[in-house]
Amino acid sequence: MRSSGEIPSFAELLAGCHTSAVHLELRDSYADNERFAAWRRGDRIDWKGRATWWHPYDQTIADAVARGVVIRRARIISEPVSEYIRWEHYVTTANVTAGEQVRWLPRRLATDIALPGNDFWLFDGALLRVHHFDGDGAVVEDELTDAPALLKLCAAAFETVWDRATPHDQYQIR
């Protein structure tokens, strides 16, 4: 495994991706950020004014999808959802507009799934970027690996979650 200082950026990893990138999220909250703070204050996004919310991340995703890369994101969440997840559900419109496929799985439906302990991105089923967070949800370090056992565990976990999860446009926040 290589640690954060030696890892290419997400954009570089995705640029080298040929067929698929999958992302599994396991937390009910992540570190505070200005966009979340604005939402908490009552600010809402004008989804028709794309220039006001489209970020470089969205373009990176759109470019990869245009090249034929299938990008899927699955989130395992507790219900009732946290305030952070309520916000993530709201801003997922940007992910979907950029070309990601997103699904939601209530944690109670994941009890029998062998899950890794950390969020990850898996690129082309061959390269794994593992995210390590502190207790408040800030990224402490990322690791990059191609260890076969980890690739197999994470790919299987993601596919099981994906098969059970509800597509974004059908998942209703409770």
Side-chain angles (χ1 to χ4, degrees), residues 2-117:
R2 292 187 282 169
S3 63
S4 292
E6 306 165 2
I7 295 178
S9 70
F10 173 77
E12 292 169 318
L13 291 169
L14 193 57
C17 196
H18 301 288
T19 59
S20 68
V22 300
H23 185 37
L24 183 61
E25 296 181 6
L26 303 165
R27 300 179 57 90
D28 285 319
S29 69
Y30 294 86
D32 282 336
N33 62 68
E34 181 50 41
R35 292 172 61 213
F36 178 46
W39 180 83
R40 291 174 81 188
R41 289 190 304 269
D43 295 352
R44 295 299 180 259
I45 297 168
D46 173 10
W47 293 114
K48 293 178 184 171
R50 182 171 136 164
T52 65
W53 58 264
W54 191 258
H55 293 94
Y57 173 85
D58 302 313
Q59 191 60 53
T60 298
I61 296 297
D63 291 346
V65 170
R67 289 193 334 269
V69 177
V70 175
I71 302 176
R72 297 180 295 158
R73 176 187 304 257
R75 293 179 170 136
I76 296 177
I77 55 168
S78 299
E79 290 180 323
V81 300
S82 67
E83 184 178 32
Y84 194 95
I85 293 298
R86 189 174 299 282
W87 171 72
E88 271 196 336
H89 188 269
Y90 172 73
V91 297
T92 294
T93 296
N95 300 81
V96 172
T97 301
E100 284 189 36
Q101 299 171 40
V102 180
R103 292 188 181 181
W104 303 82
L105 183 66
R107 195 171 308 282
R108 64 184 161 70
L109 300 178
T111 303
D112 64 339
I113 302 173
L115 295 168

